[in-house]
Short mmCIF file of all heavy atoms in Angstrom, two decimals:
data_model
loop_
_atom_site.label_atom_id
_atom_site.label_comp_id
_atom_site.label_asym_id
_atom_site.label_seq_id
_atom_site.Cartn_x
_atom_site.Cartn_y
_atom_site.Cartn_z
N GLY A 9 43.41 -77.98 -46.41
CA GLY A 9 42.39 -77.00 -46.10
C GLY A 9 41.57 -77.29 -44.85
O GLY A 9 40.38 -77.02 -44.80
N LEU A 29 45.53 -71.84 -51.50
CA LEU A 29 45.33 -73.01 -50.62
C LEU A 29 44.94 -74.19 -51.49
O LEU A 29 44.03 -74.10 -52.32
CB LEU A 29 44.25 -72.71 -49.60
CG LEU A 29 43.98 -73.77 -48.54
CD1 LEU A 29 43.58 -73.14 -47.23
CD2 LEU A 29 42.88 -74.76 -48.99
N LEU A 30 45.61 -75.33 -51.28
CA LEU A 30 45.37 -76.55 -52.04
C LEU A 30 44.75 -77.62 -51.14
O LEU A 30 45.31 -77.95 -50.09
CB LEU A 30 46.69 -77.10 -52.61
CG LEU A 30 47.49 -76.12 -53.51
CD1 LEU A 30 48.84 -76.69 -53.87
CD2 LEU A 30 46.70 -75.73 -54.75
N GLU A 31 43.58 -78.13 -51.57
CA GLU A 31 42.87 -79.15 -50.78
C GLU A 31 42.47 -80.29 -51.69
O GLU A 31 41.87 -80.08 -52.75
CB GLU A 31 41.63 -78.53 -50.12
CG GLU A 31 40.65 -79.52 -49.53
CD GLU A 31 41.27 -80.43 -48.49
OE1 GLU A 31 41.95 -79.88 -47.59
OE2 GLU A 31 41.03 -81.63 -48.55
N GLN A 32 42.79 -81.51 -51.31
CA GLN A 32 42.52 -82.67 -52.17
C GLN A 32 41.06 -83.09 -52.15
O GLN A 32 40.57 -83.74 -53.07
CB GLN A 32 43.40 -83.85 -51.81
CG GLN A 32 43.10 -84.46 -50.44
CD GLN A 32 43.94 -85.72 -50.17
OE1 GLN A 32 44.68 -86.17 -51.06
NE2 GLN A 32 43.86 -86.24 -48.97
N HIS A 33 40.30 -82.74 -51.10
CA HIS A 33 38.91 -83.10 -51.01
C HIS A 33 38.06 -82.16 -51.91
O HIS A 33 38.55 -81.16 -52.43
CB HIS A 33 38.45 -83.02 -49.56
CG HIS A 33 37.11 -83.64 -49.30
ND1 HIS A 33 36.56 -84.63 -50.06
CD2 HIS A 33 36.17 -83.39 -48.31
CE1 HIS A 33 35.41 -85.00 -49.60
NE2 HIS A 33 35.15 -84.26 -48.53
N THR A 34 36.78 -82.47 -52.04
CA THR A 34 35.90 -81.65 -52.85
C THR A 34 35.48 -80.37 -52.12
O THR A 34 35.03 -79.42 -52.74
CB THR A 34 34.62 -82.42 -53.24
OG1 THR A 34 33.99 -82.89 -52.05
CG2 THR A 34 34.98 -83.61 -54.14
N ILE A 35 35.67 -80.37 -50.80
CA ILE A 35 35.36 -79.17 -50.00
C ILE A 35 36.50 -78.95 -48.99
O ILE A 35 37.24 -79.87 -48.70
CB ILE A 35 34.03 -79.28 -49.25
CG1 ILE A 35 34.03 -80.56 -48.36
CG2 ILE A 35 32.85 -79.32 -50.22
CD1 ILE A 35 32.80 -80.66 -47.46
N VAL A 36 36.59 -77.74 -48.46
CA VAL A 36 37.57 -77.46 -47.45
C VAL A 36 36.95 -77.77 -46.07
O VAL A 36 35.76 -78.01 -45.95
CB VAL A 36 38.02 -75.98 -47.50
CG1 VAL A 36 38.76 -75.72 -48.81
CG2 VAL A 36 36.84 -75.04 -47.33
N ILE A 238 41.50 -70.69 -53.67
CA ILE A 238 41.32 -71.98 -53.04
C ILE A 238 41.08 -73.02 -54.14
O ILE A 238 40.15 -72.87 -54.93
CB ILE A 238 40.14 -71.99 -52.05
CG1 ILE A 238 40.47 -71.09 -50.87
CG2 ILE A 238 39.86 -73.41 -51.58
CD1 ILE A 238 39.38 -71.00 -49.86
N MET A 239 41.92 -74.03 -54.19
CA MET A 239 41.80 -75.10 -55.18
C MET A 239 41.41 -76.38 -54.48
O MET A 239 42.17 -76.91 -53.67
CB MET A 239 43.13 -75.30 -55.91
CG MET A 239 43.55 -74.14 -56.79
SD MET A 239 42.58 -73.98 -58.30
CE MET A 239 42.99 -75.53 -59.10
N THR A 240 40.19 -76.89 -54.75
CA THR A 240 39.78 -78.20 -54.22
C THR A 240 40.06 -79.25 -55.29
O THR A 240 40.37 -78.93 -56.44
CB THR A 240 38.31 -78.21 -53.84
OG1 THR A 240 37.53 -77.80 -54.98
CG2 THR A 240 38.06 -77.26 -52.69
N LYS A 241 39.98 -80.51 -54.92
CA LYS A 241 40.33 -81.63 -55.80
C LYS A 241 41.76 -81.48 -56.33
O LYS A 241 42.06 -81.88 -57.44
CB LYS A 241 39.35 -81.73 -56.97
CG LYS A 241 37.90 -81.93 -56.55
CD LYS A 241 37.00 -82.02 -57.79
CE LYS A 241 35.54 -82.15 -57.40
NZ LYS A 241 34.66 -82.20 -58.57
N ALA A 242 42.60 -80.88 -55.52
CA ALA A 242 43.98 -80.65 -55.88
C ALA A 242 44.90 -81.53 -55.05
O ALA A 242 44.99 -81.36 -53.85
CB ALA A 242 44.36 -79.17 -55.69
N THR A 243 45.53 -82.50 -55.69
CA THR A 243 46.42 -83.45 -54.98
C THR A 243 47.84 -82.97 -55.14
O THR A 243 48.38 -82.94 -56.25
CB THR A 243 46.28 -84.85 -55.57
OG1 THR A 243 44.89 -85.26 -55.44
CG2 THR A 243 47.14 -85.83 -54.78
N VAL A 244 48.48 -82.63 -54.02
CA VAL A 244 49.88 -82.17 -54.06
C VAL A 244 50.79 -83.37 -54.31
O VAL A 244 50.66 -84.43 -53.64
CB VAL A 244 50.26 -81.47 -52.74
CG1 VAL A 244 51.74 -81.05 -52.78
CG2 VAL A 244 49.36 -80.24 -52.54
N ILE A 245 51.66 -83.25 -55.27
CA ILE A 245 52.56 -84.33 -55.68
C ILE A 245 53.91 -84.22 -55.03
O ILE A 245 54.44 -85.23 -54.53
CB ILE A 245 52.71 -84.34 -57.23
CG1 ILE A 245 51.34 -84.46 -57.89
CG2 ILE A 245 53.63 -85.48 -57.66
CD1 ILE A 245 51.37 -84.22 -59.37
N TYR A 254 51.11 -79.77 -57.97
CA TYR A 254 49.88 -80.48 -57.65
C TYR A 254 49.19 -80.90 -58.93
O TYR A 254 49.40 -80.36 -60.02
CB TYR A 254 48.95 -79.59 -56.82
CG TYR A 254 48.39 -78.41 -57.53
CD1 TYR A 254 47.14 -78.44 -58.14
CD2 TYR A 254 49.10 -77.21 -57.60
CE1 TYR A 254 46.59 -77.40 -58.82
CE2 TYR A 254 48.57 -76.11 -58.26
CZ TYR A 254 47.32 -76.20 -58.88
OH TYR A 254 46.77 -75.12 -59.52
N SER A 255 48.29 -81.88 -58.79
CA SER A 255 47.51 -82.38 -59.91
C SER A 255 46.05 -81.99 -59.72
O SER A 255 45.50 -82.16 -58.63
CB SER A 255 47.63 -83.91 -59.97
OG SER A 255 46.78 -84.42 -60.96
N HIS A 256 45.45 -81.47 -60.76
CA HIS A 256 44.06 -81.04 -60.75
C HIS A 256 43.44 -81.35 -62.14
O HIS A 256 43.91 -80.86 -63.16
CB HIS A 256 43.93 -79.57 -60.44
CG HIS A 256 42.54 -79.06 -60.43
ND1 HIS A 256 41.60 -79.43 -59.48
CD2 HIS A 256 41.89 -78.22 -61.29
CE1 HIS A 256 40.46 -78.81 -59.73
NE2 HIS A 256 40.59 -78.07 -60.83
N LYS A 257 42.43 -82.20 -62.15
CA LYS A 257 41.81 -82.62 -63.42
C LYS A 257 42.83 -83.19 -64.38
O LYS A 257 42.84 -82.83 -65.56
CB LYS A 257 41.04 -81.44 -64.00
CG LYS A 257 39.86 -80.96 -63.18
CD LYS A 257 39.11 -79.83 -63.88
CE LYS A 257 37.92 -79.39 -63.07
NZ LYS A 257 37.17 -78.29 -63.70
N ASN A 258 43.69 -84.04 -63.84
CA ASN A 258 44.71 -84.75 -64.61
C ASN A 258 45.75 -83.81 -65.24
O ASN A 258 46.53 -84.24 -66.13
CB ASN A 258 44.07 -85.59 -65.75
CG ASN A 258 43.18 -86.68 -65.21
OD1 ASN A 258 43.50 -87.33 -64.23
ND2 ASN A 258 42.02 -86.88 -65.84
N GLU A 259 45.81 -82.61 -64.76
CA GLU A 259 46.86 -81.66 -65.22
C GLU A 259 47.77 -81.31 -64.04
O GLU A 259 47.30 -81.03 -62.94
CB GLU A 259 46.23 -80.43 -65.79
CG GLU A 259 45.49 -80.62 -67.09
CD GLU A 259 45.01 -79.30 -67.70
OE1 GLU A 259 45.40 -78.23 -67.17
OE2 GLU A 259 44.26 -79.34 -68.69
N GLU A 260 49.08 -81.35 -64.29
CA GLU A 260 50.03 -80.98 -63.23
C GLU A 260 50.43 -79.54 -63.35
O GLU A 260 50.76 -79.04 -64.43
CB GLU A 260 51.26 -81.90 -63.32
CG GLU A 260 52.24 -81.69 -62.19
CD GLU A 260 53.41 -82.66 -62.20
OE1 GLU A 260 53.20 -83.81 -62.64
OE2 GLU A 260 54.49 -82.29 -61.76
N THR A 261 50.42 -78.87 -62.21
CA THR A 261 50.77 -77.45 -62.16
C THR A 261 51.81 -77.23 -61.04
O THR A 261 51.73 -77.86 -60.00
CB THR A 261 49.53 -76.58 -61.86
OG1 THR A 261 48.55 -76.83 -62.87
CG2 THR A 261 49.89 -75.08 -61.86
#
Side-chain angles (χ1 to χ4, degrees):
L29 185 147
L30 304 173
E31 168 57 47
Q32 68 176 354
H33 193 24
T34 55
I35 58 174
V36 295
I238 294 179
M239 294 287 297
T240 55
K241 301 180 183 178
T243 302
V244 178
I245 303 170
Y254 68 94
S255 174
H256 179 68
K257 294 182 178 180
N258 296 320
E259 292 186 7
E260 185 175 329
T261 303

